[in-house]
Amino acid sequence: MDWLKERIVKEGVVLSDQVLKLDALLTHQVDPALIMDMGREFAARFKESGVTKVVTLESSGISVAFAAALELGVPMVFARRKKTLLADPDALCERVPSFTKGIVTDIMVSRQFIGEGDKVLFIDDIIANGDAARGLIKIIDRAGAELIGLGVVIEKSFQAGARTLREQHVHVESLVTISSLEGGKISFS
């Protein structure tokens, strides 16, 4: 994944020892060719798993999840962070803190889009503490679906999220692992 590491170094902005801003790469602007490359990589890593749905969280994970779902030939579902007037009143909901936003939000998925018999691949852009990931995993479980694995574009290994999920026997595949942001420098594992 040297190509992805190069882009992260070139376009990422280290805001602190804990926060890497990726607006130019994943969270505000996306490079469609790069996103498709990431989707192909996740599809290759999980193609033998029988995935029937790809899920993600609104909004930064959507582009990569879409690319992976396209490659796998399955639907993509995203968990919404805001209720709308048209929201399913029977949606599966979970309250989760957001590390980068510094707030607690509700995430929700309509029961009509995920359920028993689904084999779910969860794609996320960045995993830090893993709170949002654990919330969506709870929703997948309550829906009666099987979590096949979690594909993460960037794992921050100096934070506990991915490690704790692996300890819970979640199959986590990271494209890139960042071991430190200390001193404003991005260090990869």
Side-chain angles (χ1 to χ4, degrees), residues 28 30 38 40 43 50 85 101 107 114 128 131 140 144 168 174:
H28 198 59
V30 296
M38 288 187 255
R40 279 189 283 279
L85 292 176
K101 293 181 178 86
I107 58 173
I114 185 171
D131 294 321
I140 292 165
Q168 296 169 8
S174 303

Side-chain angles (χ1 to χ4, degrees), residues 51-186:
V51 173
T52 63
K53 298 262 173 86
V54 173
V55 300
T56 192
L57 292 157
E58 183 179 52
S59 67
S60 299
I62 291 175
S63 60
V64 180
F66 174 86
L70 180 65
E71 288 295 317
L72 290 166
V74 299
M76 183 211 63
V77 177
F78 64 90
R80 293 185 181 272
R81 289 191 183 265
K82 295 178 184 161
K83 289 185 179 182
T84 66
L85 292 176
L86 302 175
D88 179 353
D90 194 33
L92 296 158
C93 295
E94 198 64 37
R95 184 157 281 224
V96 298
S98 170
F99 177 77
T100 52
K101 293 181 178 86
I103 59 170
V104 175
T105 63
D106 290 324
I107 58 173
M108 61 205 80
V109 176
S110 175
R111 291 178 190 270
Q112 77 182 86
F113 298 124
I114 185 171
E116 289 184 31
D118 280 322
K119 292 184 174 200
V120 176
L121 171 58
F122 173 11
I123 299 289
D124 207 358
D125 59 340
I126 300 171
I127 188 160
N129 292 328
D131 294 321
R134 279 189 293 279
L136 188 51
I137 289 169
K138 286 180 184 176
I139 288 173
I140 292 165
D141 185 55
R142 284 202 335 262
E146 177 186 353
L147 177 66
I148 296 299
L150 168 61
V152 180
V153 176
I154 299 168
E155 173 183 341
K156 294 191 317 188
S157 64
F158 57 92
Q159 292 174 294
R163 182 180 65 253
T164 59
L165 290 173
R166 286 184 181 103
E167 289 169 356
Q168 296 169 8
H169 307 291
V170 173
H171 176 188
V172 179
E173 290 279 340
S174 303
L175 297 184
V176 170
T177 301
I178 294 176
S179 58
S180 173
L181 296 172
E182 289 182 20
K185 182 180 183 297
I186 302 168

Side-chain angles (χ1 to χ4, degrees), residues 40-51:
R40 279 189 283 279
E41 182 62 29
F42 283 128
R45 292 183 187 196
F46 289 99
K47 71 180 175 186
E48 303 300 323
S49 300
V51 173

